[in-house]
Amino acid sequence: MRISEDQLASFSSTDFHVRSLDLLRERFSKQPMDFEEIIRNIQEFQIAIPSAALGNGRANAKRSRTGGEPRNLAEKLEDIGLLQQLTCKTNSVSVYIPWDLPDDFQEVKDLANELCLKFDTMNSTSSQDENQKAYAKLGSLGNSNKAIRDEAIAHNEDVISIGKKLGSKGLTVWMADGSNFPGQSKFRSTLRWTEESLREIYEFMPSDWDLMLEYKPYEPNCYHTVVPDWGTSSMLAKRLGSRAKVLVDLGQHLPKTNVEQIVATLMHQNLLAGFHFNDSKYGDDDLNPSSIKPYQLFLIFCELISGDMDKAQAWESISWMIDASYNTQDPLVDLIQALETITIAYAKAMLVDRERLNECQLNGECSQAQEILQMAYLTDVRPLVCEARVRSGGAAEPLEAYRILMIRNKLVQERGVKSYSSIF
Amino acid sequence: MRISEDQLASFSSTDFHVRSLDLLRERFSKQPMDFEEIIRNIQEFQIAIPSAALGNGRANAKRSRTGGEPRNLAEKLEDIGLLQQLTCKTNSVSVYIPWDLPDDFQEVKDLANELCLKFDTMNSTSSQDENQKAYAKLGSLGNSNKAIRDEAIAHNEDVISIGKKLGSKGLTVWMADGSNFPGQSKFRSTLRWTEESLREIYEFMPSDWDLMLEYKPYEPNCYHTVVPDWGTSSMLAKRLGSRAKVLVDLGQHLPKTNVEQIVATLMHQNLLAGFHFNDSKYGDDDLNPSSIKPYQLFLIFCELISGDMDKAQAWESISWMIDASYNTQDPLVDLIQALETITIAYAKAMLVDRERLNECQLNGECSQAQEILQMAYLTDVRPLVCEARVRSGGAAEPLEAYRILMIRNKLVQERGVKSYSSIF
Amino acid sequence: MRISEDQLASFSSTDFHVRSLDLLRERFSKQPMDFEEIIRNIQEFQIAIPSAALGNGRANAKRSRTGGEPRNLAEKLEDIGLLQQLTCKTNSVSVYIPWDLPDDFQEVKDLANELCLKFDTMNSTSSQDENQKAYAKLGSLGNSNKAIRDEAIAHNEDVISIGKKLGSKGLTVWMADGSNFPGQSKFRSTLRWTEESLREIYEFMPSDWDLMLEYKPYEPNCYHTVVPDWGTSSMLAKRLGSRAKVLVDLGQHLPKTNVEQIVATLMHQNLLAGFHFNDSKYGDDDLNPSSIKPYQLFLIFCELISGDMDKAQAWESISWMIDASYNTQDPLVDLIQALETITIAYAKAMLVDRERLNECQLNGECSQAQEILQMAYLTDVRPLVCEARVRSGGAAEPLEAYRILMIRNKLVQERGVKSYSSIF
Amino acid sequence: MRISEDQLASFSSTDFHVRSLDLLRERFSKQPMDFEEIIRNIQEFQIAIPSAALGNGRANAKRSRTGGEPRNLAEKLEDIGLLQQLTCKTNSVSVYIPWDLPDDFQEVKDLANELCLKFDTMNSTSSQDENQKAYAKLGSLGNSNKAIRDEAIAHNEDVISIGKKLGSKGLTVWMADGSNFPGQSKFRSTLRWTEESLREIYEFMPSDWDLMLEYKPYEPNCYHTVVPDWGTSSMLAKRLGSRAKVLVDLGQHLPKTNVEQIVATLMHQNLLAGFHFNDSKYGDDDLNPSSIKPYQLFLIFCELISGDMDKAQAWESISWMIDASYNTQDPLVDLIQALETITIAYAKAMLVDRERLNECQLNGECSQAQEILQMAYLTDVRPLVCEARVRSGGAAEPLEAYRILMIRNKLVQERGVKSYSSIF
């Protein structure tokens, strides 16, 4: 289904919104703040949706179900198209293979074109394919058995080939490889095999593709993970070549990690591939972005803007993707919330008075630095985000529109109550 | 004071010890285990004592006091000499400047020679010199103010010059630099300044010296530390040159970090400088080695032996130093315990059946791998450690000897009850 | 020094503020929100300042210094008086003994009266008095030595006696007691001795006083702390009697603790004594409130309001105190920021649509619950907080007023650059 | 299958074992250590096996499979019977309902009798029965919907009824109840409903049964768990009555928790129900006991012995159960290892010189306390454990016997390669 332009138009801006925006401009009138540029930046900021996030699926079939889930990649594109119509914040899909292998490539590409959607980074799934049994014990790309490594490499090469057909320009590699007990795995050998496998994949990649290497401290393995931290990920990326970079999944860090500092350190080396946005309280919880630590997300965007301004690493070189999936309710509602909260963090970070902050940092005026950040963070930027959305043709209040238009009901009617998205 | 050879001789081996050793050999008779080599390895294994660890000092004057503390570097050498006579496990001192700046270099060197002690790595103290006020706000080597950075560099160069006179061959750099609040410090700038400062120090170093760069996630700063993890430390070390490496202080990691994996990853890159041995339950607690997580220390030594055997990084290239100081009692007792427990971990790790373990690792036989490690870990290796000590001329039971000889009493008589070691 | 009424009047409300407040009212016009009541609640909400927080003191003399620090309790009252004039958010001081023992009680009480300040909870300092040496090894109220326990009890009784003279109505007990190594202390004995000591103190307390028992997982002890968690603290409080309750210091929890849930669980049992407000990233960092986890503070206030509304525990029975002290700059600036951010969290929590939230909670509508919280949290409540302050006679923008009035300069003139607050 | 007595006899004690035991006795000859009593204690110490642990099952069907898994409760009893023959360390099974609901009670009881096995605590499975959909959102015993709570209560009552038929004397309750996002659940209401539900179950229990209430900080819920810590668990247990106690699962604590202190604090209140033994590095990893933190398990047993000696809580009142299941290989091998390592920790703890330790604790002699613990911990107690096993009729080396007898092969022959245990 598609939302008609008339329908969308009926959810456009309000007088209240206009006055809120005026007041916000007034609040910052003494600072050299270009609101038009900020709004343009918000408009241009687009976050990819993973093809795996549109159902209630993930772990197992025991979850409560919303109904009307997309049953294949085409229907997932449709769902993302709806999100884009409402929010204007997502123009691409990040496809997981083998779960979302399209039957008919041309059909899927045509549909994407029609919906103005692009194919973002491809995702291989080394932890969960037909070889899972062998993988579970000794890993995929880092397996001690060359034959199994070769299969894992071949899977990644397949994903690249599929991605080429779709028009993707990158591959995200996350490996579940690791061990559960001391002694089970030889750290250095596993690392070496992993590097060799990654090199084959890297060399197979088209020259305009990027390889994004994720890290994660634990889970599903409980003692050791082959690529546990940004240090290991960047060590491998540097050895592969300049098109290999480090992907940051916000939930995949040890307790108390200063994630914004890692972001800055990666940009310092031009090594930041991009983000998997989510939030977490305990481990890799995959909760909705900003649902637990919204201030951290703001601080991360402060680093991103600062790194771009200082030409450490260009904004355009960074990928943005949602990777949250604890959907206990309608996943489209969760995704609308996620797109909104990420954008809010970005918008707030643009309100930081960078010139004054730099001065404070040089002079050690830490109370003032604190004040400058608070001034931006405490500001209600929803009028800015709303303005950008309305200018791009979206709904002023996407969640409200989603509910009034009864989109879920219509999807259930179209697809049935028991339609399940292809899951793992 | 010195212990006479006669005195020492009276604490040598016993019949019980001999029989224990025989039984231990018998237990491993089916494995290709060269006990003579193991004993030689234990004999050769020597751990440096930091000059700051010989008093009850550290934080403040409120600690309970043992009395008879060494009042200067010469007396500290004497104390280490006593430790060496009893344990034969420490042939060197690691000097902290400015706290242990010698008055008369020749005198100190002569004394060291007499006691058969060497001067291990020098330690600068960037967090706590005359510039502490400026440092507290904006750091030392990473300060935004060039003049303060230059002072911090000059301090390190002074330490190198002192070390050259003493015959040391390395410099350990730990920086307290960081910030307490978001916004206070600019991560990338601080990193850049730190790198520039380290480069000046590195270039000032004699060509046969090594620079050992410590990392620490937090404390004394509560939001950000300039070199928080092995990733940052190794990034800087690689940029400096091949004589810069990463020092691992066991207590300086985020909760749940797999430290033995970091050790393996550093050896994989020939980047491991060495260790500050201690133990911790919560943060950088500086508790006695093995007092909380003895199995972790064993696993670390397993990695060290494995890395050496595979020629990833040579055993001889690694530095060993104690850095524990929660001495609520006699620091010499604590140090004897520390030297013993570290050696025990090393000895146990040498009992691992490496050949069989490699097979298990290749084949994913994880229960057997677990068994092999347990077989070594559960073995009581005190007979081995004792044998090595006795062969080297030390006491069979150093703590017993220390008490029977009433060494602390004699030190109190010599130096007084209120003798305080130079502290910070 | 005092700020004149004319001076204060010149910092009152602005046209921009009025329009902001109107817009905020409009935003919530569809919800049954009584803004007048919210403003009254904000006005009535008063946070105590610890007497130890007004200098740059805490740890040691190496900190950078602001100058003009209050040199005794009278000058500290003056400083709090200034804070109250500007912010109208603090009408009381929480005195630490022995550090702030007044010379002349009547003088100090008269001054407090003149400044409209009250004496909040008294604080004993069991970790750091003349007996520190004995305490360091085996603790104070839980020491194995009855004589030392008696001294610690006597100290607490002294503090109560002093508090009675000042008009305080409560005693906060925090014990540094614990141990650094396994085996050093016998957990159950220490707990029993501690309970016995607390009982003596509890029985010594006037019948209209409350005993507030803090908990802390670690530090200064590195292995075990006698009262490490809310469970132990509430076990002891329940055994003492109904006037003993549990004090929550926000920074004193293990990593990942759900602090807002503890608050709810304590209120469920009518056991919440109150708060020490601060923030932390790693341990008991004592950073300014909301400088790291502002959303957590908001969630805590949500629980407080909910618990009060449901009559689990009355709002009035809860104590509020700042306990942050990482002042690298002017402590009065830090305190103004702290009072503001705490109030902001409270104001945001009052904007939660409780009725609708309750419905969502009953029906498991978790996306909507999330939305309701975000609606409140994302709102800029500074107009509300400002309005409350102006109505109470404070400055619209306290920090701005503080700077324009050059208060620190005047304090330095009055008290000198090298005036140090009595510190520990 | 059963192992014949002849077969077992062929794996009995050796000369090497006898000499090892003699040497061990000699080592402790100066201490008042009653080795006969220690051996008897080891013989009497029996650990229950959960019915869910005998297959490779747990999470999903993707695990590698050993083959020959028990297909029903009867075959599980057979497996435990084999374990008992070899190790003499497990005389009971802890049954999970509905997974191991027997078809024919009398048959199962007869078989248990024949194998000399008892039925330990019953386990309800509130997270995973037919109502899982409703539970996933709002919980079971704490659900906001009375009808669902009633179903969950009824399930527990069913489990009790089944347990009565089997001869069990206790019920373990673990609730997955909690929430994933702030706002989703009302903490205090959920706690109240949970208490009401538990009270119904408690009152339904026969008067000679115990209720064991587990706690767990997170997972499967990522924001809040209804019973997250020992404080909440003991609050509920105390309100229910004296037959309700707190069950400690070693892996279910926040990072850095001092678990041995919790054990002591529970014994101090006579509130310790017992243990789920396992080990963990990150979260509730369910790894084999002692595979990560063997020293912690030793310290826990030190507390258990101390609490029993001081008559805080009697040893006999405590339940012991394995709850580890990361079996990547043969689960019977894992269980033999688990039974052995738990017993080793217990045996080491019995070697602590308690009298001398008490003195050190009273006098603050912490280095000596450390020494006393090390003296026991470093001792190789395998001869003691082996002696106890042989005296009880088990194999000297159970793992060796298991392999030589090729038990797994025989089970595969009997039951088939694709026999799966009933799993969840």
Side-chain angles (χ1 to χ4, degrees), chain A residues 167-189:
Chain A
S168 170
K169 293 291 176 199
L171 175 72
T172 295
V173 176
W174 174 69
M175 284 165 296
D177 294 25
S179 60
N180 282 309
F181 291 100
Q184 182 186 344
S185 173
K186 191 162 178 175
F187 298 143
R188 286 175 295 99
S189 301

Short mmCIF file of all heavy atoms in Angstrom, two decimals, chain A residues 167-189:
data_model
loop_
_atom_site.label_atom_id
_atom_site.label_comp_id
_atom_site.label_asym_id
_atom_site.label_seq_id
_atom_site.Cartn_x
_atom_site.Cartn_y
_atom_site.Cartn_z
N GLY A 167 22.60 -3.06 -6.54
CA GLY A 167 23.12 -1.69 -6.56
C GLY A 167 23.68 -1.24 -5.23
O GLY A 167 23.89 -0.06 -4.99
N SER A 168 23.91 -2.18 -4.32
CA SER A 168 24.51 -1.84 -3.04
C SER A 168 25.98 -1.47 -3.24
O SER A 168 26.57 -1.77 -4.28
CB SER A 168 24.39 -3.02 -2.07
OG SER A 168 25.17 -2.81 -0.92
N LYS A 169 26.56 -0.81 -2.25
CA LYS A 169 27.96 -0.40 -2.37
C LYS A 169 28.81 -0.81 -1.17
O LYS A 169 29.91 -0.27 -0.95
CB LYS A 169 28.04 1.14 -2.52
CG LYS A 169 27.48 1.67 -3.83
CD LYS A 169 28.35 1.26 -5.02
CE LYS A 169 27.72 1.71 -6.35
NZ LYS A 169 28.28 0.97 -7.48
N GLY A 170 28.28 -1.75 -0.37
CA GLY A 170 29.08 -2.12 0.78
C GLY A 170 28.62 -3.42 1.42
O GLY A 170 27.51 -3.90 1.19
N LEU A 171 29.52 -3.99 2.22
CA LEU A 171 29.23 -5.24 2.92
C LEU A 171 29.53 -5.06 4.40
O LEU A 171 30.61 -4.62 4.78
CB LEU A 171 30.11 -6.37 2.36
CG LEU A 171 29.99 -7.72 3.08
CD1 LEU A 171 28.65 -8.38 2.76
CD2 LEU A 171 31.14 -8.64 2.70
N THR A 172 28.54 -5.38 5.22
CA THR A 172 28.77 -5.38 6.67
C THR A 172 29.08 -6.80 7.11
O THR A 172 28.32 -7.71 6.81
CB THR A 172 27.53 -4.88 7.41
OG1 THR A 172 27.32 -3.52 7.07
CG2 THR A 172 27.70 -5.00 8.92
N VAL A 173 30.21 -6.96 7.80
CA VAL A 173 30.57 -8.28 8.29
C VAL A 173 30.52 -8.31 9.80
O VAL A 173 31.24 -7.55 10.48
CB VAL A 173 31.98 -8.69 7.81
CG1 VAL A 173 32.38 -10.03 8.42
CG2 VAL A 173 32.03 -8.77 6.30
N TRP A 174 29.65 -9.14 10.31
CA TRP A 174 29.68 -9.41 11.74
C TRP A 174 29.86 -10.91 11.92
O TRP A 174 29.17 -11.70 11.30
CB TRP A 174 28.41 -8.97 12.45
CG TRP A 174 28.44 -9.40 13.87
CD1 TRP A 174 29.26 -8.94 14.85
CD2 TRP A 174 27.66 -10.44 14.49
NE1 TRP A 174 29.05 -9.61 16.02
CE2 TRP A 174 28.07 -10.54 15.84
CE3 TRP A 174 26.67 -11.29 14.03
CZ2 TRP A 174 27.51 -11.45 16.72
CZ3 TRP A 174 26.12 -12.21 14.91
CH2 TRP A 174 26.53 -12.27 16.25
N MET A 175 30.80 -11.26 12.76
CA MET A 175 31.06 -12.68 13.00
C MET A 175 30.69 -13.07 14.41
O MET A 175 31.13 -12.45 15.37
CB MET A 175 32.54 -12.98 12.79
CG MET A 175 32.93 -13.02 11.34
SD MET A 175 34.73 -12.95 11.24
CE MET A 175 34.97 -11.33 11.95
N ALA A 176 29.93 -14.14 14.51
CA ALA A 176 29.61 -14.68 15.84
C ALA A 176 30.77 -15.49 16.39
O ALA A 176 30.72 -15.96 17.52
CB ALA A 176 28.37 -15.56 15.73
N ASP A 177 31.82 -15.63 15.61
CA ASP A 177 32.94 -16.53 15.97
C ASP A 177 33.53 -16.23 17.33
O ASP A 177 33.76 -15.07 17.69
CB ASP A 177 34.06 -16.40 14.93
CG ASP A 177 33.64 -16.90 13.55
OD1 ASP A 177 32.44 -16.90 13.27
OD2 ASP A 177 34.53 -17.27 12.77
N GLY A 178 33.84 -17.29 18.04
CA GLY A 178 34.47 -17.16 19.35
C GLY A 178 34.41 -18.47 20.08
O GLY A 178 34.24 -19.53 19.47
N SER A 179 34.53 -18.42 21.40
CA SER A 179 34.52 -19.67 22.17
C SER A 179 33.86 -19.46 23.51
O SER A 179 33.72 -18.33 23.99
CB SER A 179 35.95 -20.18 22.36
OG SER A 179 36.72 -19.22 23.05
N ASN A 180 33.44 -20.56 24.11
CA ASN A 180 32.70 -20.50 25.37
C ASN A 180 33.52 -20.81 26.60
O ASN A 180 33.09 -20.53 27.71
CB ASN A 180 31.51 -21.47 25.32
CG ASN A 180 30.39 -20.88 24.51
OD1 ASN A 180 30.00 -19.75 24.75
ND2 ASN A 180 29.90 -21.62 23.53
N PHE A 181 34.69 -21.43 26.40
CA PHE A 181 35.49 -21.82 27.55
C PHE A 181 36.96 -21.50 27.31
O PHE A 181 37.43 -21.62 26.17
CB PHE A 181 35.38 -23.33 27.81
CG PHE A 181 34.04 -23.75 28.30
CD1 PHE A 181 33.12 -24.31 27.42
CD2 PHE A 181 33.70 -23.57 29.63
CE1 PHE A 181 31.87 -24.69 27.88
CE2 PHE A 181 32.45 -23.95 30.08
CZ PHE A 181 31.53 -24.52 29.21
N PRO A 182 37.69 -21.14 28.36
CA PRO A 182 39.14 -21.00 28.22
C PRO A 182 39.72 -22.27 27.63
O PRO A 182 39.33 -23.38 28.02
CB PRO A 182 39.61 -20.80 29.67
CG PRO A 182 38.44 -20.20 30.38
CD PRO A 182 37.24 -20.82 29.74
N GLY A 183 40.61 -22.14 26.70
CA GLY A 183 41.27 -23.30 26.10
C GLY A 183 40.62 -23.78 24.82
O GLY A 183 41.27 -24.42 23.99
N GLN A 184 39.33 -23.50 24.66
CA GLN A 184 38.61 -24.05 23.51
C GLN A 184 39.18 -23.56 22.18
O GLN A 184 39.25 -24.31 21.21
CB GLN A 184 37.12 -23.66 23.63
CG GLN A 184 36.24 -24.19 22.53
CD GLN A 184 34.82 -23.64 22.62
OE1 GLN A 184 34.43 -23.11 23.64
NE2 GLN A 184 34.07 -23.78 21.54
N SER A 185 39.57 -22.31 22.15
CA SER A 185 40.01 -21.70 20.89
C SER A 185 41.39 -21.08 21.09
O SER A 185 41.72 -20.60 22.17
CB SER A 185 39.01 -20.62 20.50
OG SER A 185 39.46 -19.91 19.39
N LYS A 186 42.18 -21.09 20.05
CA LYS A 186 43.49 -20.45 20.11
C LYS A 186 43.35 -19.04 19.54
O LYS A 186 43.14 -18.87 18.33
CB LYS A 186 44.50 -21.27 19.31
CG LYS A 186 45.92 -20.84 19.53
CD LYS A 186 46.89 -21.93 19.08
CE LYS A 186 48.33 -21.49 19.26
NZ LYS A 186 49.25 -22.59 18.94
N PHE A 187 43.49 -18.04 20.41
CA PHE A 187 43.18 -16.67 20.02
C PHE A 187 43.91 -16.23 18.75
O PHE A 187 43.31 -15.70 17.83
CB PHE A 187 43.54 -15.69 21.15
CG PHE A 187 42.80 -15.90 22.43
CD1 PHE A 187 43.42 -15.72 23.66
CD2 PHE A 187 41.45 -16.27 22.42
CE1 PHE A 187 42.73 -15.90 24.86
CE2 PHE A 187 40.75 -16.45 23.61
CZ PHE A 187 41.41 -16.26 24.83
N ARG A 188 45.23 -16.42 18.75
CA ARG A 188 46.01 -15.86 17.65
C ARG A 188 45.77 -16.57 16.33
O ARG A 188 45.70 -15.95 15.27
CB ARG A 188 47.51 -15.84 18.00
CG ARG A 188 47.87 -14.73 19.00
CD ARG A 188 49.33 -14.80 19.43
NE ARG A 188 49.60 -16.02 20.16
CZ ARG A 188 50.15 -17.11 19.65
NH1 ARG A 188 50.57 -17.11 18.39
NH2 ARG A 188 50.33 -18.19 20.38
N SER A 189 45.57 -17.87 16.41
CA SER A 189 45.29 -18.61 15.16
C SER A 189 43.96 -18.15 14.58
O SER A 189 43.84 -17.91 13.37
CB SER A 189 45.22 -20.11 15.44
OG SER A 189 46.44 -20.54 15.98
#
